[in-house]
């Protein structure tokens, strides 16, 4: 970053953790402007103006560690928001919130275009409708909570239920299937997770069509707060300038909110409900409303959302719900039973599960699957207390079919082959519907339910049954 010569210079007068107070003798930088602290041979520190504190002092939040920074250091006003390099140059690269390479690759050339991370959402008149399905090859998602092309979907779950693995599988399957651009925003990611993702993308051959933007867990809250905006800017460039469809994946939106709460506290703002920042709703809206389709190109967003203490009434979780077209709920109970992906078939919903979008047959079959599994859930307490023998014949049949459906909707993933020794599978929605139709129709009532676990298509289950009969 370089400072325009006409821009004023300031001096640091106070440092409190990630918050830096800068005095300007002349005009003050506007809110949201980027400031730069040169440090000789070391990389400069970038700040973002958040408050005008009075007496010609602005209060800014650092994007890098302020360790070693001293009062009296010179600060340059960059004359606008933080910018990041965009375009073909960032594909296959791993960068940070200000666009600096993290992959030990070469620096970006000076002629690479840079866009500001703060941008207006597309006007409503320009936005398209999210009424087409993004088929993922993941059975339970395609059947019960189809993802919207050009819309927003999120997967909600507590710690350790499989959000990151599911995100990685979606990158692998959808980028290969649709041959589009993918942008991954690592918001507060662990270094291990980022490294594993980079290696997986290299192995699968999709890295050359993917841009990775990371604000890691050990970085200051300012970096974790703005990294989602930086990644969204990368996606917007390909949508607006190249007219390409973009898959934007974020892991994790809760950490974006959490970083905003940390910044709010550092700036001295009074907290709102449950200690969150008073600007919670507007910060989430500022991010989510920029995700849209414009003309023939679309940004499709799939987001992971950590649910603290599995409390779905948490304000950060509840606020995110209001912006989504599809919600995928991950269940700790299912994860504990080894039913992966641990997606709750009753809690997961989509606005696209409509006869006018997916067809009457798909809709009716999905509703019947839900009814059967709901009946099983209602009877679980009775079964635990009295045993399945005390149920009526009709209820016993419903329970058996529900257990087969739950196991048929499990699936081995491509990204977990090295850990499970199971060959990963993607399944066409027609094959998923055929399997569920056969189970609900009673064709498999005499088959062991273990045959359905971690199978791909129904033909795989039928082959297992034939092999068992021969044995």
């Amino acid at each position: 970053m370089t400072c325009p010569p006409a821009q004023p210079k300031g001096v640091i007068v106070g440092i409190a953790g990630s918050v830096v107070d800068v005095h300007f003798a002349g005009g003050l930088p506007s809110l949201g402007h980027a400031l730069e602290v040169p440090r000789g041979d070391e990389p400069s520190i970038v700040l973002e103006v958040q408050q005008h504190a009075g007496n010609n002092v602005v209060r800014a939040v650092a994007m890098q560690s302020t360790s070693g920074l001293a009062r009296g250091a010179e600060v340059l006003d960059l004359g606008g928001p933080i910018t990041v390099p965009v375009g073909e140059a960032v594909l296959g690269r791993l960068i940070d919130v200000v666009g600096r390479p993290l992959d030990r690759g070469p620096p970006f050339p000076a002629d690479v275009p840079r866009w500001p991370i703060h941008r207006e959402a597309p006007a409503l008149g320009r936005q398209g409708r999210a009424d087409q399905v993004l088929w993922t090859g993941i059975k339970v998602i395609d059947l019960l909570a189809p993802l919207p092309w050009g819309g927003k979907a999120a997967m909600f779950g507590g710690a350790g239920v499989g959000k990151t693995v599911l995100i990685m599988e979606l990158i692998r399957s959808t980028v290969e299937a649709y041959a589009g651009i993918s942008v991954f925003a690592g918001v507060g990611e662990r270094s291990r997770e980022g490294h594993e993702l980079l290696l997986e993308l290299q192995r699968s051959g999709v890295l050359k069509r993917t841009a990775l933007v990371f604000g890691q867990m050990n970085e200051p809250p300012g970096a974790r707060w703005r990294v989602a905006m930086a990644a969204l800017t990368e996606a917007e460039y390909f949508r607006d300038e190249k007219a390409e469809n973009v898959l934007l994946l974020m892991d994790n939106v809760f950490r974006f909110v959490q970083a905003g709460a940390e910044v709010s506290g550092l700036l001295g703002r009074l907290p709102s409900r449950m200690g969150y920042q008073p600007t919670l709703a507007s910060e989430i809206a500022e991010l989510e409303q920029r995700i849209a389709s414009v003309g023939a190109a679309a940004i499709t967003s799939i987001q992971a959302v950590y649910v603290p203490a599995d409390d779905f009434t948490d304000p950060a979780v509840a606020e995110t719900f209001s912006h989504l077209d599809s919600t995928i709920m991950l269940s700790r109970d299912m994860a504990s039973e080894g039913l992966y992906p641990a997606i709750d078939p009753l809690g997961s919903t989509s606005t696209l599960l409509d006869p006018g979008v997916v067809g009457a047959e798909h809709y009716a079959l999905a509703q019947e699957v839900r009814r059967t599994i709901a009946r099983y859930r209602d009877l679980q307490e009775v079964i635990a207390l009295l045993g399945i023998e005390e149920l009526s014949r009709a209820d016993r049949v419903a329970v058996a079919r529900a257990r087969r459906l739950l196991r048929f909707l499990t699936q081995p993933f491509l990204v977990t082959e090295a850990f499970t020794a199971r060959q990963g599978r993607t399944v066409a929605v027609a094959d998923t519907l055929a399997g569920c139709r056969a189970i609900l129709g009673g064709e498999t009532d005499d088959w062991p339910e273990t045959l359905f676990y971690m199978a791909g298509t129904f033909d795989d289950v039928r082959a297992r049954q034939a092999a068992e009969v021969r044995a």
Side-chain angles (χ1 to χ4, degrees), residues 341-405:
I343 296 172
D344 185 354
L346 303 184
S348 302
T349 61
S350 173
T351 57
L352 271 62
L353 189 61
D354 182 276
V357 178
V358 299
E361 183 187 8
H362 182 154
Y363 177 79
L365 197 58
Q367 295 302 98
E368 183 62 26
V369 167
R370 279 208 174 109
R371 277 194 294 270
T372 303
I373 294 174
R375 183 62 180 152
Y376 169 51
R377 295 264 176 94
D378 289 342
L379 292 169
Q380 276 184 308
E381 189 172 341
V382 175
I383 295 170
L385 290 173
L386 302 176
I388 196 169
E389 295 79 11
E390 298 300 316
L391 301 180
S392 66
R393 174 175 171 72
D395 283 343
R396 287 200 300 273
V397 169
V399 166
R401 291 177 181 174
R403 290 178 62 85
R404 286 167 173 77
L405 284 169

Side-chain angles (χ1 to χ4, degrees), residues 246-259:
V246 184
L247 179 65
L248 174 65
L249 301 114
M250 292 189 209
D251 189 5
N252 184 306
V253 174
F254 177 78
R255 294 195 187 115
F256 161 74
V257 174
Q258 196 175 42

Side-chain angles (χ1 to χ4, degrees), residues 237-361:
Y237 176 85
F238 288 106
R239 179 195 66 191
D240 299 340
E241 296 296 315
K242 301 295 184 181
E244 293 208 51
N245 293 314
V246 184
L247 179 65
L248 174 65
L249 301 114
M250 292 189 209
D251 189 5
N252 184 306
V253 174
F254 177 78
R255 294 195 187 115
F256 161 74
V257 174
Q258 196 175 42
E262 291 179 49
V263 169
S264 182
L266 289 168
L267 295 173
R269 296 178 185 145
L270 289 175
S272 182
R273 279 194 307 155
M274 295 179 64
Y276 286 109
Q277 61 271 45
T279 53
L280 171 66
S282 60
E283 287 178 12
I284 293 178
E286 183 184 1
L287 177 70
E288 298 287 356
Q289 288 176 6
R290 287 170 58 182
I291 302 170
S293 58
V294 177
I299 296 177
T300 303
S301 175
I302 303 173
Q303 308 162 20
V305 184
Y306 168 69
V307 181
D310 291 340
D311 179 14
F312 287 90
T313 64
D314 185 271
V317 176
E319 190 60 42
T320 306
F321 265 116
S322 62
H323 295 275
L324 303 174
D325 302 296
S326 178
T327 58
I328 298 168
M329 311 297 287
L330 291 159
S331 164
R332 189 170 300 282
D333 289 340
M334 291 182 66
S336 66
E337 293 180 48
L339 299 175
Y340 289 104
I343 296 172
D344 185 354
L346 303 184
S348 302
T349 61
S350 173
T351 57
L352 271 62
L353 189 61
D354 182 276
V357 178
V358 299
E361 183 187 8

Side-chain angles (χ1 to χ4, degrees), residues 1-4 8-12 20 22 24 29 33-40 42-49 60-61 64 69 73-80 82 98 100 114:
M1 293 186 179
T2 57
C3 177
K9 298 180 180 180
V11 175
I12 294 177
V20 180
V22 184
F24 284 86
H33 270 207
L35 310 177
E36 185 178 45
V37 186
R39 296 199 297 171
E42 296 184 49
S44 59
I45 294 176
V46 178
L47 317 171
E48 185 179 88
V49 177
V61 174
Q64 293 87 21
L69 207 58
E74 184 180 72
V75 179
L76 310 178
D77 176 12
L78 298 181
I82 294 169
V98 297
R100 294 171 181 166
R114 300 183 72 97

